[in-house]
Amino acid sequence: MDEPRRRNRSRSAAVPATMTLRVGTLLLFVVVLVGGCAGAGASTNASATPIPVSVTTPEAAVAQVIATEKRLTGIAPKNPDAIGQSAWYEVAPASGVGAFVVTVRIGWGDCPAGCIHEHVWHYAVAPDGAVSVVSETGPAVPDDAWPSPNGAGQRTGIGGVVTAGPVCPVEKNPPDPACAPRPVDGAVLVFGDASGTEVARTTAAPDGTFFAELPAGFYVVTPQPAKGFLGTPGPQSVTVTDGAAIRLALAYDTGIR
C-alpha cells in the first residue's frame, strides 16, 4: 500500500511541473513577440523624417519664415519710398552656403515719424527650408502691431490707420505723447486695380482705422484730400496674398510748423 501511494504522489507532483514549464515557455514567446512588434513600431517612427523643402528664391525664404510665425502673414517687402511703413522684410543671400538671411521689422507708435518702438529679427533660412533665429532685438510686439494679429484664416484685404501730424509746432525727443499724431476721422481711401480701375473705397473710422475686404491681387491705395489738412498721403502700391490682411500707416500733413 505504501509503495503505490508514493508512486501516485510522485506522478501528481510531476504533472504540474511540466505544465508550468510549458506555460512559462508560452508566456516568454508572447512577450518576445509583443516586444518585437513594439520595437518595430518605434523604429519606424524614429526613422521618419520631414519632407525637405527646396528654398532657392527670396520669396520661398520669406514663406518659410512666415510658416514659423503666422502673425507675419501679409507682411510686405521694405519700400524706401513708403512713409510710415511699420512692418517690412528684406532678404539677402548668405554668401557661399546657398541660404538666405531674412530681416523682419515691426514698428509701432507714431510710425509716420519713423516709429517710436520696433522689434527686429534676423532669420537664417537654409536651402532645405530650415529656419533659425540669428538675432532678435526690441520690446515685445503688441497684438495690434502684427501684420496678421490672428494669424492664418483672417479676412483678405487692406487695412491700417490714418493719422495727421505734426500736432505741436515743436517736435521733442523723446516724443511727447500729447503731440502724437491724431486720427483722421472720415478720411476717404480709394482702391484701384492694376489697370487703374476703382474697385473699392472706404472711410476711416473715428479712431482712424480702416479696412477694405479685397481678393488677392495688386492694388493702389489713394487717399483723397481732406478738409483742413495741408498735405495728402501719396498713393501706396500693395500686393495682397490670399488669406492676408495688409496694414498701412497713412499720414496727412496738418501744416503745423
Side-chain angles (χ1 to χ4, degrees):
M1 291 290 293
D2 291 339
E3 185 65 25
R5 287 179 181 175
R6 283 196 296 271
R7 290 176 183 173
N8 290 339
R9 282 199 297 269
S10 176
R11 289 174 183 171
S12 62
V15 171
T18 305
M19 291 180 62
T20 301
L21 178 61
R22 291 176 179 174
V23 171
T25 303
L26 179 61
L27 289 175
L28 178 61
F29 174 78
V30 171
V31 170
V32 172
L33 179 61
V34 174
C37 292
S43 176
T44 300
N45 292 336
S47 63
T49 56
I51 299 175
V53 177
S54 178
V55 176
T56 58
T57 65
E59 293 77 14
V62 173
Q64 288 299 107
V65 171
I66 293 176
T68 67
E69 175 51 85
K70 295 297 185 182
R71 290 176 295 180
L72 291 174
T73 300
I75 193 169
K78 184 178 182 180
N79 182 358
D81 298 325
I83 298 175
Q85 186 179 18
S86 59
W88 50 259
Y89 68 82
E90 286 183 315
V91 185
S95 59
V97 295
F100 293 93
V101 175
V102 180
T103 300
V104 176
R105 182 261 201 177
I106 296 179
W108 63 96
D110 194 14
C111 283
C115 295
I116 299 173
H117 308 288
E118 69 172 13
H119 196 112
V120 179
W121 297 262
H122 294 285
Y123 294 92
V125 183
D128 65 355
V131 178
S132 59
V133 179
V134 177
S135 66
E136 180 178 356
T137 59
V141 180
D143 288 342
D144 60 357
W146 290 94
S148 298
N150 298 322
Q154 65 177 4
R155 293 186 298 169
T156 301
I158 302 172
V161 63
V162 185
T163 59
V167 174
C168 300
V170 178
E171 295 288 337
K172 298 180 180 180
N173 191 10
D176 183 352
C179 296
R182 59 185 177 85
V184 181
D185 180 13
V188 177
L189 308 170
V190 175
F191 301 82
D193 61 14
S195 67
T197 302
E198 180 179 332
V199 295
R201 68 170 52 207
T202 190
T203 302
D207 63 354
T209 59
F210 68 93
F211 186 82
E213 192 160 356
L214 299 164
F218 174 84
Y219 299 95
V220 176
V221 184
T222 306
Q224 302 300 294
K227 186 178 180 179
F229 298 110
L230 180 64
T232 302
Q236 300 284 319
S237 298
V238 178
T239 298
V240 178
T241 56
D242 190 34
I246 304 298
R247 289 173 56 88
L248 299 177
L250 306 173
Y252 283 81
D253 186 354
T254 61
I256 297 175
R257 298 291 186 269

